[in-house]
Amino acid sequence: MAVTKRALIALALAAAAAVPAASAFAQEDWPSQPVKIIVPVAPGGTTDGIARLLQEPLSQRLGQPVVIENKPGSAGVVATDAVAKAPADGYTFGIVFTSHAANPAMMPSLPYDTEKDLVPVAFMWRSVVSWSVPASSPIQTFDDLVAAAQEPGAVIYGTGGVGQASHFSAELFEQAAGVEMTHAPYRGAALATADAIAGQLPLLIVNTSTVGEHARAGTMRILATASPERSKMFPDVPTLTELGYPVSIGEFNVLVAPAGTDPAILQKFNAAVREAMASDKVMDQLNARDLVTQDYDLEEVQQFIAEETERMGKLVEDNDIRPQ
Amino acid sequence: MDLLHNFYSGIGIAFQPLNLFVCVAGVFFGTLIGALPGIGAIAAVSMLLPSTFYLEPVTALVMLAGVYYGAEYGGSIASILLNIPGTTSSAVVCLDGNPMARQGRAGVALLITAVASYTGGTIGIVLLMAGSPLLVALAQSFGPAEYFSFMLLGLAAAGMMGSGSPAKGLAMIVLGLLLGCIGADVNTAAPRFTFGLTHLYDGINVIVVAMGLFGITEVIFGMMAPGRSTEVPRVSLRSMVPTPEDRRRAVMPILRGSTIGSILGVLPGAGATLSTFMSYSLEKSLARDPSRFGKGAVEGIAGPESSNNAAAQTAFIPTLTLGIPGTATMALMLGAMMIHGIQPGPAMMTQHADIFWGLIASFWIGNAVLLVLNIPLIGIWVQMLRLPSLYLYPTVISLICMGVYSINFAVADILLVLLFGLLGCALRLLKCEPAPLLIAFVLGPMMEENFRRAMLMSRGDVATFVERPLSLAILAVTVAIAGGMLLVSLRRRRAAQ
């Protein structure tokens, strides 16, 4: 027994001595094995599509294959939980949505701590959320909509689901304009769009990429977008901010890593992602889907997530957007 | 004849050697993957999606479409031979397909299924070419109120499917509805009956329920009755040929099934699922002797299978012309198109005419390949039943576990499928049929969602369901079916007394 104990102590000491050396070695050598990105949705769709496009340019820059692992479920919580509980060795990253910033306030029983267990690494893209009505609607301009919304609950708006950026854009607008609308959440933006173009849903709030084709075909009319700048796809459509309502929000995809990952690795990964996002192939797809990327460095993306978390938390508190 | 000209140019694109080759390859791999228990069209398409990134857009889509049909057909193979359905649609094919296999008529069942698939697919394609605008208009007249009424009709039809006691059928429907309540509520995101488990937040996956109730149960009962699976007679090409009686019985159900499937397929979400068992219920109610159903009635596989494939075709209508995917598989196909730089939508037929018509032509070629490829293979598929149960059952169990694990990569799903297996055993001992449970499980959440949405939009006025003419008409049919069932069971009771 004594031998075993001594051996154990020796082993522990050796391990303790080895740890700093190993981590210093790790950052210089990183990446020495494939890097995994956990995608929080099933294959297909924008998030998965862009992540898979990023695979090739990113692995070229890292010199190691990039593996995509789809882990759908619970609006991203399942995937984010997997990242939070992964070893902080720089080989596991995950994509989070806008709901990541709202979850701490919205979901009291999150299996991880958004701020303590995870660290934002790189910004991928942000969508343009648009407000549109069917072509047959009597509402012609955004002012018409504001007038209709004066009667509490009279305007019914559909989104892809509770807790998405489109939903928050409506909540932010209601707060700014002092009006109250009725939310009809759908299981995904596509089904909401189907009802809207059929004239069954009076107001549709989804990404421009989803409604764009119908706007061009003349079956839907986009009244405004919720983005900070005008949409590149629809440069004639005013933003809500221009119209006097300080609502600036989009559905974003940001890469996060387990907390405690070596900052030097995070720096390297951030730089590689930014370069890969700027590659022609990725930019073409971003433009085709009216998605905007932000060239944020590590500090900027961390500040961005911190600010969004605070803003979303306040919005959820003020409007009591909680599962009842 | 603009239409024919377009189709002709589409055929030219689809018949390019590379496209033809990937179409055949796609159908073959799709069938192979789909025949594995628990792995359906979604898994097959998503597995092969990355491999198409390096192909030309048309070629890639042709291949994925081939995989999609192949997998749909492959699902029927597992259902008929082993009574293991991967989807609600295949669960319906199980009802009569598996009894046929047990009677040594597996070859006939598979051949009829292949022909029914092909016919359904062809009719669906003709409608896709000629009637897209009309079908889109129909789909667009469906609002939340109509969807709710329609799903209620679906539930009434599900009640007709069972061959046992109506009370037990009703109990199964209620159990299915209750199981469907598990998961986050769409309107508020509030978790319901999740017991604090993150895994249950999205509800239980339908594949898990189907595999447990049918697949695991089948294996457990199969092991308790050893030797049965090895009693399959050798299948010669001749024994696959349906008798004139079989052929006569299959023709009308195939035509009716194709019509139902083509129309319902355009409804996003519910269409394809509803069409199979609507077709089954219709055939059962039209039959002179409904008691043959559930015991190997040819009509019971011919109708649903053709409607399933017709719906698989017309489901492309909202996807291609509106850019709105009705099912998870369609969403994947849409994703594939976007990756290849094609934006499906109102402009697709004009801007990407070559792709649109090439795709439609290859749909038809895919269906034909499916038929040609599978007839010689039926003999091989049936050999599966000759495997001694010592090897067959463990293989099936591991395939089920792998298939179920591949949905979400969650171990919890494997535990759940075993739990549902035990539930399936209990139900079988109690002589309760699991098919209505499965259908109610799928319809329940959609029904609730549409009911609440309809109420939101009518501002809480229940009258909306009868004020909208289409919804009223659907409700009237529902009441007629429910009344008819009540009458039949009362008469039966009186006859028994």
Side-chain angles (χ1 to χ4, degrees):
Chain A
M1 284 307 279
V3 179
T4 326
K5 204 180 265 173
R6 205 178 303 154
L8 273 178
I9 292 168
L11 201 68
L13 284 174
V19 164
S23 88
F25 180 71
Q27 82 172 41
E28 259 168 51
D29 204 34
W30 182 90
S32 59
Q33 65 186 68
V35 174
K36 184 165 74 184
I37 295 181
I38 299 181
V39 172
V41 287
T46 303
T47 295
D48 181 69
I50 303 291
R52 283 177 195 277
L53 272 176
L54 199 64
Q55 239 178 327
E56 197 191 314
L58 192 56
S59 55
Q60 271 171 11
R61 278 158 187 85
L62 295 175
Q64 282 288 340
V66 172
V67 184
I68 301 280
E69 189 180 311
N70 296 88
K71 244 188 193 324
S74 309
V77 172
V78 171
T80 311
D81 190 37
V83 180
K85 296 192 166 61
D89 55 5
Y91 292 102
T92 308
F93 297 91
I95 294 175
V96 296
F97 305 129
T98 306
S99 58
H100 182 69
N103 278 343
M106 264 182 82
M107 298 177 70
S109 60
L110 269 188
Y112 50 83
D113 187 315
T114 302
E115 277 166 358
K116 281 186 197 142
D117 296 342
L118 294 150
V119 50
V121 192
F123 192 94
M124 288 176 69
W125 53 261
R126 189 189 61 229
S127 73
V128 176
V129 170
S130 69
W131 291 39
S132 59
V133 293
S136 58
S137 167
I139 293 172
Q140 295 292 332
T141 63
F142 198 79
D143 285 340
D144 295 346
L145 180 70
V146 177
Q150 295 308 314
E151 187 189 337
V155 173
I156 297 162
Y157 69 97
T159 67
V162 172
Q164 295 191 355
S166 48
H167 172 207
F168 292 134
S169 82
E171 296 279 355
L172 285 167
F173 166 75
E174 286 176 316
Q175 216 172 25
V179 296
E180 196 186 308
M181 304 190 292
T182 306
H183 185 198
Y186 283 72
R187 236 176 251 276
L191 293 175
T193 309
D195 262 10
I197 54 177
Q200 312 278 3
L201 178 68
L203 175 62
L204 175 71
I205 308 183
V206 295
N207 291 343
T208 41
S209 55
T210 311
V211 75
E213 280 290 306
H214 305 288
R216 275 195 215 104
T219 42
M220 293 293 293
R221 185 163 51 242
I222 302 181
L223 302 175
T225 62
S227 46
E229 310 93 30
R230 286 195 176 200
S231 145
K232 277 186 212 154
M233 205 183 249
F234 296 98
D236 297 337
V237 175
T239 64
L240 284 167
T241 314
E242 286 173 38
L243 292 165
Y245 308 97
V247 177
S248 166
I249 191 168
E251 193 64 58
F252 61 69
N253 269 20
V254 163
L255 282 159
V256 298
T261 308
D262 193 322
I265 291 177
L266 298 184
Q267 286 288 3
K268 273 192 195 174
F269 192 68
N270 172 283
V273 171
R274 280 156 70 191
E275 277 178 38
M277 286 303 293
S279 67
D280 288 346
K281 219 171 157 186
V282 178
M283 282 309 282
D284 283 350
Q285 281 288 317
L286 290 183
N287 289 332
R289 300 170 197 227
D290 205 13
L291 305 175
V292 186
T293 183
Q294 297 277 354
D295 195 29
Y296 284 157
D297 65 23
L298 193 57
E299 259 171 54
E300 284 167 333
V301 72
Q302 289 175 351
Q303 194 192 342
F304 171 76
I305 290 293
E307 282 171 8
E308 284 294 288
T309 309
E310 202 193 322
R311 180 164 82 121
M312 290 295 123
K314 194 169 175 311
L315 182 70
V316 169
E317 286 298 327
D318 288 353
N319 297 287
D320 200 24
I321 318 170
R322 275 208 193 81
Q324 277 126 28
Chain B
M1 287 310 281
D2 221 21
L3 195 71
L4 279 181
H5 177 254
N6 281 332
F7 186 67
Y8 184 72
S9 71
I11 291 271
I13 292 167
F15 261 116
Q16 284 164 8
L18 180 64
N19 291 350
L20 202 59
F21 171 75
V22 296
C23 189
V24 173
V27 169
F28 179 75
F29 282 113
T31 314
L32 209 64
I33 296 173
L36 299 175
I39 305 181
I42 302 181
V45 173
S46 58
M47 264 189 246
L48 293 172
L49 179 64
S51 66
T52 67
F53 285 175
Y54 304 97
L55 300 172
E56 286 291 304
V58 186
T59 312
L61 290 177
V62 165
M63 173 159 168
L64 290 176
V67 172
Y68 174 49
Y69 302 136
E72 289 273 329
Y73 179 74
S76 305
I77 297 177
S79 311
I80 291 173
L81 297 183
L82 304 170
N83 202 19
I84 301 176
T87 60
T88 351
S89 316
S90 346
V92 177
V93 176
C94 275
L95 294 176
D96 280 281
N98 190 249
M100 279 183 80
R102 281 167 200 265
Q103 293 155 15
R105 282 158 52 79
V108 178
L110 285 175
L111 187 77
I112 289 180
T113 318
V115 174
S117 293
Y118 172 74
T119 319
T122 307
I123 293 178
I125 290 166
V126 170
L127 274 169
L128 175 59
M129 291 197 309
S132 287
L134 207 71
L135 287 172
V136 167
L138 174 81
Q140 296 204 339
S141 57
F142 265 64
E146 282 77 19
Y147 271 110
F148 170 76
S149 305
F150 191 59
M151 283 161 191
L152 203 63
L153 173 64
L155 275 193
M160 273 180 69
M161 282 178 50
S163 39
S165 97
K168 279 181 182 169
L170 199 65
M172 288 301 96
I173 290 181
V174 172
L175 188 58
L177 290 176
L178 286 176
L179 286 169
C181 287
I182 295 174
D185 164 30
V186 178
N187 282 50
T188 60
R192 296 189 299 199
F193 307 110
T194 59
F195 306 101
L197 300 170
T198 314
H199 183 73
L200 288 178
Y201 188 84
D202 288 321
I204 302 167
N205 192 291
V206 62
I207 300 177
V208 172
V209 179
M211 283 294 135
L213 287 183
F214 289 85
I216 303 279
T217 306
E218 189 64 26
V219 170
I220 292 175
F221 273 81
M223 284 190 301
M224 292 199 293
R228 196 174 53 191
S229 70
T230 53
E231 285 166 17
V232 177
R234 229 190 124 65
V235 180
S236 63
L237 209 58
R238 188 170 300 163
S239 78
M240 275 162 38
V241 178
T243 62
E245 171 75 3
D246 290 337
R247 268 177 267 166
R248 193 182 55 74
R249 283 187 192 282
V251 174
M252 286 317 285
I254 287 181
L255 293 180
R256 282 191 290 261
S258 306
T259 315
I260 294 180
S262 301
I263 295 172
L264 299 193
V266 288
L267 298 177
T273 310
L274 280 168
S275 73
T276 37
F277 68 89
M278 288 272 195
S279 161
Y280 187 89
S281 307
L282 179 71
E283 292 313 325
K284 194 174 170 183
S285 62
L286 286 178
R288 255 184 233 136
D289 179 15
S291 68
R292 286 191 302 114
F293 279 74
K295 295 171 193 146
V298 170
E299 299 94 317
I301 54 168
E305 187 66 26
S306 59
S307 78
N308 183 35
N309 253 45
Q313 299 302 335
T314 52
F316 272 101
I317 293 179
T319 312
L320 290 176
T321 61
L322 300 177
I324 289 163
T327 60
T329 323
M330 282 297 123
L332 258 180
M333 296 291 290
L334 191 76
M337 290 183 211
M338 304 243 335
I339 283 177
H340 286 289
I342 304 160
Q343 168 75 56
M348 172 144 179
M349 274 170 95
T350 46
Q351 280 175 9
H352 294 283
D354 55 332
I355 292 182
F356 184 82
W357 291 103
L359 194 60
I360 289 192
S362 64
F363 286 172
W364 185 75
I365 291 172
N367 273 284
V369 167
L370 193 66
L371 189 67
V372 174
L373 197 69
N374 276 296
I375 287 178
L377 288 183
I378 286 175
I380 299 172
W381 294 122
V382 177
Q383 296 302 315
M384 230 162 40
L385 291 182
R386 295 168 65 90
L387 267 174
S389 38
L390 178 64
Y391 303 113
L392 182 68
Y393 290 135
T395 313
V396 169
I397 289 276
S398 19
L399 284 174
I400 289 178
C401 290
M402 277 194 274
V404 162
Y405 181 74
S406 73
I407 311 167
N408 282 331
F409 305 102
V411 180
D413 277 336
I414 298 179
L415 298 175
L416 272 175
V417 85
L418 297 177
L419 261 174
F420 274 99
L422 293 180
L423 176 66
C425 290
L427 293 182
R428 197 183 275 201
L429 289 174
L430 293 170
K431 295 203 168 20
C432 291
E433 290 166 29
L437 187 160
L438 187 65
I439 287 159
F441 173 77
V442 174
L443 287 183
M446 290 201 272
M447 239 171 102
E448 185 205 352
E449 209 181 309
N450 281 291
F451 177 78
R452 290 173 70 175
R453 200 172 288 143
M455 295 307 279
L456 259 179
M457 292 188 179
S458 72
R459 294 160 155 264
D461 186 3
V462 194
T464 180
F465 296 105
V466 289
E467 276 166 2
R468 298 173 64 112
L470 191 55
S471 169
L472 178 66
I474 301 170
L475 281 179
V477 177
T478 313
V479 171
I481 288 187
M485 270 165 56
L486 199 70
L487 217 70
V488 168
S489 69
L490 280 180
R491 204 175 289 163
R492 229 184 261 162
R493 186 173 294 174
R494 208 168 292 155
Q497 275 170 358

